Amino acid sequence: MSKTRFAALAVAGLAIAGLICSPAAAAPAGSLARLKAEAAKVTIVRDDWGIAHVHGKTDADAVFGMIYAQAEDDFNRVEANYLTALGRTAEAEGQAAIWKDLRQKLFTDPADLKAKYAQSPPRLRALMDAWADGLNYYLVTHPATHPKVLKHFEPWMALSFSEGSIGGDIEKYISLPALEAFYGDPKVAARNLELAEAESLKFKEPSGSNGMALGPSITKNGHTLLLINPHTSFFFRSELQMTSDQGLNAYGAATWGQFFVYQGFNEHAGWMHTSTGADDVDEFAETIVRKDGKTFYRYGTELRPVTVSTITVPYRVAGGSLASKTFTVFRTHHGPIVRQEADGKWIAIALMNKPVEALEQSFDRTKTHDLAAFLKVSELDANSSNNTLFADTKGETALLLPQFMPKRDNRFDYTKPVDGSNPATDWQGMTPFADMPKVIDPSNGWVYNSNDSPWNAAGPNSPKQAAFPRYMDQVGENPRTPHAVKVLSGHSGFTLQALIDADFDPWLPAFSRLVPGLAAAYDALPANDPMKARLADQVAALRAWDCRWSANSVETSLAVGWGESLFGKTAADAKRAGLSPLDYMATRARAAQTLDALAESSDRLTQDFGTWRVPWAQINRFQRINDDIVQHFDDAAPSTPVPFASAQWGSLASFGAKRYPDTKKYYGSSGNSFVAVVEFGDRIHARAITAGGESGDPKSRHFDDEALRYASGDFREVYFYPDQLVGHTERTYHPGS
């Protein structure tokens, strides 16, 4: 997008004046004039949904503007993400976050990141410089904003959070109670481990996302279509557009604090990430030997010294001052030690730690125009946690697995800690792209993934599981996959609306599996069993149900409560059996468990609402009361009815809701967040919706202006081109003005 096209929308005579009350710590002496000059090269257009369309002369200018716009919308979330990434959350939240920070600091060392920043390609350094400048300029021009910790941003900090996934490998794979048991008080940690084990058995919303890429052969207009449907915690990403005179033109969802569009599209191509089921994080059981007062680990015939270092974690105490706690930590060549097994083996964890390459890949893929260019950028091998759905204007579609895929000896089971003393268990470089499962331009016309295996991603044209090492998939299939296969297979003439309709198809396939077992258990009851009369109406309702959610469905209310109760009764047994909770519930749950769970569900509904015949949307609600990162919910406050359900039951449109200690209704906090559909024709056509709204400010009209649209799946038009913004612009300005 050219400067002149965007400038046509600008307000004449914009100037930066009268905005600096006092240059705070965010703007070191002598830098304010430079920041003002940088801001003058950036234009931000806010559309009538509050979404920022940012234009700069260079890519770096666009980065300056987009991160400034993010800070305007929700600086709280920007800072929170970097406190996590830098291991500094305890400086804001106190002792409770010490172990979280220690875990992060095992991988994030400011001295190392500063050195990596200095060695980065000049072009990437310019982007990091602009990122820090944009945040610092926001702080100096908004003195009413009071950071909890980060009063000044430095460019190297961008390397601490460069891959983009929610949670990331460090949070996903390293248990805090186990870390505390190794480096802290074992007695306290033992209790925390018990609590964590109990928590792990509770019903929860699955993580991950849906992606669909449809080729020209099955679309009405002969253009590729892409569904972007990340399932994250709500308000986790900002929707925006960033453009420059250097060819940047990316629209989509950017994780708060990052300077690239993580899920989105440009004028020629689009990319959608789903959490992978492949295994690229491994644990190594180290045999520890103590000799002459030193600590070694066995590796083949050698005794290698364990690397010993210290990490200091500052934390806030009562009154606001800082204290600190210092830990002696250990590493082997496999990685840091994160826990100890019952047999005394120390567990080292190996995972991707390539911050420069990850940041470069994350930004550069937003400028790729076709699959060949996307694959070229992917040669950096710095995506570890995501499968990727791809589509472009050439008609190409693809599903790719993470490019960071260590090559391993398939004799070993990497789902468990492998023997670190055996050199044969070591990683053997990266798996070549040619040896990876993938789908490219399948003849069936569609490719799909929902953060599970790729073996059903394109119907009969899917990769064959037997042809690949078992570590290419460790999770199997989830209930959304057969649902997606059903709505895509054999269909053609897709439009954007038809793609939305497919993603909002109301079938809940998990209950199609579970209800027959319930009916059989009920039919087997003796005629005089008290459950026979007690559950007659409920079983009849579910037996006649089509297993489809809707706002008025009382069966959905009953079934969801029943499923959650049965999950709780069987989760521990499922784990011991090595089965997924759903597979165990469908094939091994005892009749008594199945019927008791239904009784509990109907009793709870009757207790809370006076009857078990409660319409689903009366229970299932969207609510946004304030800007707290951890949401608070209140039955007495206004909320919006939501008809779709949890992905746990195979709903493609995901709404991760639950009852809270002080509520009777269910409130969602994750699932569908930013959702978009894109048509790649001569001119991009896209529609999108965001949970709640763009702004994190409760006083803004854009705090929850999309709630009704979100709940009903009523997507709005995306204003991708300047002419689409005409008549839909609320404000045009330079940062700071």
Side-chain angles (χ1 to χ4, degrees), residues 417-622:
V418 293
D419 182 3
S421 70
N422 184 352
T425 64
D426 273 7
W427 290 354
Q428 302 159 18
M430 290 294 107
T431 304
F433 178 73
D435 296 341
M436 294 280 288
K438 65 185 76 66
V439 179
I440 296 177
D441 296 335
S443 59
N444 57 293
W446 56 265
V447 60
Y448 168 82
N449 190 252
S450 62
N451 52 282
D452 60 356
S453 73
W455 317 129
N456 294 297
N461 298 299
S462 304
K464 307 306 177 190
Q465 184 174 5
F468 299 96
R470 53 184 165 173
Y471 55 78
M472 292 295 181
D473 172 59
Q474 302 286 21
V475 302
E477 184 179 273
N478 70 53
R480 278 171 284 157
T481 296
H483 191 174
V485 170
K486 180 180 179 181
V487 299
L488 293 173
S489 294
H491 297 284
S492 60
F494 279 97
T495 61
L496 287 185
Q497 186 57 53
L499 184 54
I500 293 171
D501 293 342
D503 194 45
F504 278 74
D505 181 84
W507 183 40
L508 298 174
F511 289 117
S512 292
R513 291 185 67 191
L514 293 174
V515 168
L518 169 69
Y522 178 81
D523 291 343
L525 286 173
N528 61 349
D529 191 298
M531 282 287 195
K532 202 76 172 179
R534 182 181 178 188
L535 297 179
D537 290 344
Q538 294 94 318
V539 171
L542 292 178
R543 203 193 296 260
W545 182 40
D546 61 2
C547 297
R548 301 171 77 82
W549 53 253
S550 71
N552 296 319
S553 169
V554 299
E555 296 86 358
T556 304
S557 303
L558 181 63
V560 167
W562 166 56
E564 290 177 4
S565 179
L566 186 57
F567 186 107
K569 293 178 183 299
T570 59
D573 292 335
K575 185 174 183 178
R576 284 190 290 269
L579 295 175
S580 74
L582 178 59
D583 284 344
Y584 191 94
M585 290 159 64
T587 62
R588 297 198 189 180
R590 298 190 304 276
Q593 291 175 316
T594 301
L595 295 169
D596 286 347
L598 182 60
E600 286 182 7
S601 173
S602 56
D603 287 351
R604 181 60 188 258
L605 288 169
T606 301
Q607 173 188 320
D608 288 346
F609 299 99
T611 175
W612 63 262
R613 300 178 186 276
V614 187
W616 174 233
Q618 184 177 329
I619 299 172
N620 202 46
R621 315 289 289 190
F622 176 90

Side-chain angles (χ1 to χ4, degrees), residues 49-359:
W49 296 101
I51 294 162
H53 303 257
V54 180
H55 181 75
K57 293 182 179 180
T58 66
D59 289 354
D61 294 335
V63 165
F64 179 103
M66 72 88 79
I67 201 65
Y68 179 95
Q70 282 189 46
E72 285 184 303
D73 288 336
D74 208 328
F75 178 81
N76 186 28
R77 282 182 164 78
V78 172
E79 184 185 24
N81 281 345
Y82 278 90
L83 292 180
T84 295
L86 292 164
R88 299 183 64 180
T89 301
E91 294 177 46
E93 298 180 3
Q95 281 185 279
I98 285 176
W99 296 103
K100 177 181 178 181
D101 283 356
L102 176 63
R103 177 175 62 183
Q104 191 69 28
K105 286 175 180 289
L106 289 172
F107 301 90
T108 303
D109 176 10
D112 176 61
L113 293 184
K114 289 174 185 178
K116 283 183 167 63
Y117 163 78
Q119 297 161 6
S120 296
R123 181 181 63 87
L124 189 63
R125 284 204 309 273
L127 300 180
M128 289 188 272
D129 292 344
W131 171 84
D133 285 349
L135 287 171
N136 291 331
Y137 194 55
Y138 167 81
L139 288 176
V140 81
T141 55
H142 291 77
T145 297
H146 300 289
K148 294 181 177 69
V149 175
L150 299 176
K151 297 178 173 59
H152 177 70
F153 290 83
E154 298 182 41
W156 61 268
M157 292 178 177
L159 292 172
S160 69
F161 186 29
S162 57
E163 202 263 355
S165 296
I166 183 168
D169 294 336
I170 295 172
E171 291 187 34
K172 183 176 180 181
Y173 291 101
I174 301 176
S175 160
L176 289 180
L179 188 72
E180 183 178 4
F182 187 80
Y183 289 113
D185 185 336
K187 292 181 180 179
V188 174
R191 176 58 180 155
N192 289 339
L193 280 168
E194 290 178 9
L195 294 173
E197 176 65 17
E199 189 67 26
S200 72
L201 298 176
K202 291 182 179 179
F203 179 88
K204 60 182 67 68
E205 181 67 13
S207 60
S209 310
N210 298 331
M212 298 178 183
L214 310 186
S217 65
I218 62 170
T219 65
K220 181 177 180 180
N221 296 326
H223 302 146
T224 51
L225 301 179
L226 180 66
L227 168 74
I228 300 171
N229 182 195
H231 295 170
T232 70
S233 54
F234 291 162
F235 327 123
F236 184 73
R237 294 192 173 107
S238 166
E239 183 178 348
L240 54 81
Q241 183 177 21
M242 53 191 305
T243 69
S244 79
D245 294 343
Q246 292 182 322
L248 175 67
N249 187 3
Y251 188 107
T255 308
W256 293 109
Q258 293 184 319
F259 63 69
F260 51 85
V261 171
Y262 184 65
Q263 312 265 26
F265 54 95
N266 58 38
E267 288 181 295
H268 304 281
W271 53 96
M272 162 63 207
H273 302 303
T274 68
S275 299
T276 188
D279 174 21
D280 50 17
V281 175
D282 291 318
E283 293 182 324
F284 294 84
E286 310 288 19
T287 302
I288 300 302
V289 177
R290 290 179 174 83
K291 183 177 179 182
D292 300 329
K294 296 181 180 179
T295 305
F296 299 84
Y297 67 103
R298 195 172 299 283
Y299 184 69
T301 60
E302 306 174 52
L303 283 181
R304 293 186 172 184
V306 172
T307 301
V308 182
S309 61
T310 59
I311 291 176
T312 298
V313 179
Y315 61 94
R316 191 162 299 281
V317 296
S321 62
L322 289 179
S324 64
K325 187 173 179 63
T326 298
F327 299 89
T328 299
V329 299
F330 307 98
R331 302 172 188 272
T332 71
H333 75 284
H334 294 121
I337 303 299
V338 296
R339 73 173 198 276
Q340 182 172 328
E341 294 281 73
D343 62 3
K345 298 283 182 74
W346 288 9
I347 303 300
I349 193 165
L351 49 78
M352 187 185 84
N353 190 8
K354 302 171 65 175
V356 174
E357 294 89 342
L359 190 57

Side-chain angles (χ1 to χ4, degrees), residues 678-700:
V678 191
E679 182 173 6
F680 293 93
D682 295 335
R683 182 178 168 95
I684 294 294
H685 180 201
R687 296 169 64 188
I689 196 69
T690 293
E694 176 61 26
S695 176
D697 181 0
K699 298 187 294 296
S700 169

